[in-house]
Amino acid sequence: MRQLGDLEAEIMDRLWNWGRPATAREVRDDLNRKRPIAYSTVKTVADILFNKGMLTREKEGRAWLYRATCTRQQYAAARMQDALDGNPDPAGVLLSFVEQISADEVQALRSALRAAKRRSGS
């Protein structure tokens, strides 16, 4: 899964935070609180995200309602999997990753590994 561009990430961030579908106009209005941006720009990028499979859309009146197809966590996990896929040294990648994260993140990783082990019954 590709890394999102800046505006793609801003749109996805809002949809993930809101936890509900939204129109391009709603997203544009929220983005305009920080910087001016045209409706057509937001609509174009939302359509690009739809074509990439990151959003679904359904018609409501004259507008499209966009909804994220995955959670923020699922997206991040897919990006992490991409970093491991095809790498000749996945253990080295994981070691480098663990060396860069905070103690709290290491603890969260340990908890996730324990939970995964319980789920798999191992």
Side-chain angles (χ1 to χ4, degrees):
M1 188 172 282
R2 276 189 20 186
Q3 181 172 340
L4 297 171
D6 291 342
L7 185 53
E8 290 175 327
E10 287 184 76
I11 291 170
M12 292 304 299
D13 187 57
R14 276 150 182 83
L15 292 171
W16 283 325
N17 286 341
W18 294 340
R20 62 170 175 78
T23 65
R25 189 163 309 281
E26 288 178 282
V27 173
R28 191 274 325 256
D29 290 348
D30 196 60
L31 288 169
N32 272 333
R33 292 183 203 186
K34 292 191 178 188
R35 64 180 170 101
I37 189 162
Y39 167 79
S40 60
T41 302
V42 174
K43 177 75 171 84
T44 297
V45 174
D47 287 340
I48 290 168
L49 288 166
F50 167 75
N51 290 323
K52 289 179 177 182
M54 292 291 299
L55 298 176
T56 61
R57 67 182 183 193
E58 65 182 64
K59 206 68 151 151
E60 183 176 276
R62 292 180 33 196
W64 288 107
L65 271 180
Y66 294 92
R67 178 188 305 269
T69 59
C70 64
T71 65
R72 184 188 314 268
Q73 294 80 2
Q74 290 167 329
Y75 172 74
R79 296 272 300 132
M80 293 164 72
Q81 186 62 53
D82 286 347
L84 295 173
D85 285 347
N87 191 297
D89 185 17
V93 171
L94 290 168
L95 178 59
S96 293
F97 173 72
V98 170
E99 289 172 344
Q100 295 177 43
I101 62 177
S102 70
D104 288 343
E105 291 164 333
V106 169
Q107 189 57 41
L109 177 58
R110 285 187 177 124
S111 295
L113 289 169
R114 283 191 299 273
K117 186 174 181 180
R118 284 191 301 272
R119 286 185 194 152
S120 70
S122 304

